[in-house]
Amino acid sequence: MSTEERAYWVAFNHIRGIGSIRVQKLLKAFGNLRTAWDAPRHQLLEAGLDERSAAAIAGGRMELDPQKLLDHCAALGLTVLVWDDPGYPPRLKALPSPPPVLYLRGAMIESDGRAVAIVGTRKATAYGKEVTRIFASALAANGITVVSGMARGIDA
């Protein structure tokens, strides 16, 4: 996959409401996300997106620069993995709606097949943060990879 195309995967991943199912619809209709990015509203609707999604994409096109987003990932030392990448985890890809984009810091190793994500509120209490730290530390100490969706929630 070209660097340019990868940038559009990252850009769509930054648009609220555009997840796995909608990315699948865009790929089916347009063949790639670069073409989908420039598609007019009526073509997005014909591709099976609803009004809200088409409006979100239109707004995203005005606010986001795909290449700058990808460059920012590189500046943070992140590797961007998408469905077609050989490094995309097979067990994750086997899900009915796998995340279209993964941001990886470091390297995946075989033991990462045993992984858990901790998900929670954005407004965690002190107690919640401490319990999360204890759980994550205990899991990691026992050989289980703890992953983060890099959201603003408790996993941050």
Side-chain angles (χ1 to χ4, degrees):
M1 169 179 300
S2 72
T3 301
E4 180 187 23
E5 177 66 12
R6 187 172 307 279
Y8 289 96
W9 282 77
V10 173
F12 273 109
N13 197 54
H14 278 77
I15 298 175
R16 186 179 194 103
I18 305 299
S20 171
I21 301 299
R22 289 181 179 92
V23 166
Q24 289 172 354
K25 287 180 179 183
L26 292 169
L27 289 171
K28 184 177 179 184
F30 300 105
N32 62 65
L33 294 183
R34 167 69 180 98
T35 303
W37 185 261
D38 291 327
R41 183 184 147 283
H42 76 276
Q43 287 183 351
L44 295 172
L45 296 172
E46 289 169 4
L49 272 62
D50 57 18
E51 275 291 341
R52 183 183 297 174
S53 298
I57 291 170
R61 286 192 286 230
M62 292 173 44
E63 297 173 12
L64 302 172
D65 179 325
Q67 190 57 53
K68 283 185 181 178
L69 290 171
L70 187 61
D71 291 345
H72 184 67
C73 290
L76 293 173
L78 301 175
T79 300
V80 175
L81 297 176
V82 301
W83 292 331
D84 293 337
D85 288 328
Y88 194 98
R91 291 181 63 204
L92 191 57
K93 192 173 183 176
L95 294 173
S97 297
V101 178
L102 298 178
Y103 302 95
L104 174 68
R105 180 173 283 136
M108 283 196 285
I109 55 176
E110 191 170 322
S111 64
D112 288 340
R114 290 179 34 137
V116 63
I118 296 176
V119 180
T121 182
R122 289 184 179 178
K123 298 177 182 176
T125 63
Y127 173 76
K129 290 176 185 177
E130 180 61 16
V131 169
T132 301
R133 188 192 62 73
I134 292 168
F135 277 143
S137 297
L139 289 165
N142 285 285
I144 297 174
T145 300
V146 180
V147 298
S148 169
M150 295 178 60
R152 288 172 251 157
I154 197 152
D155 67 315

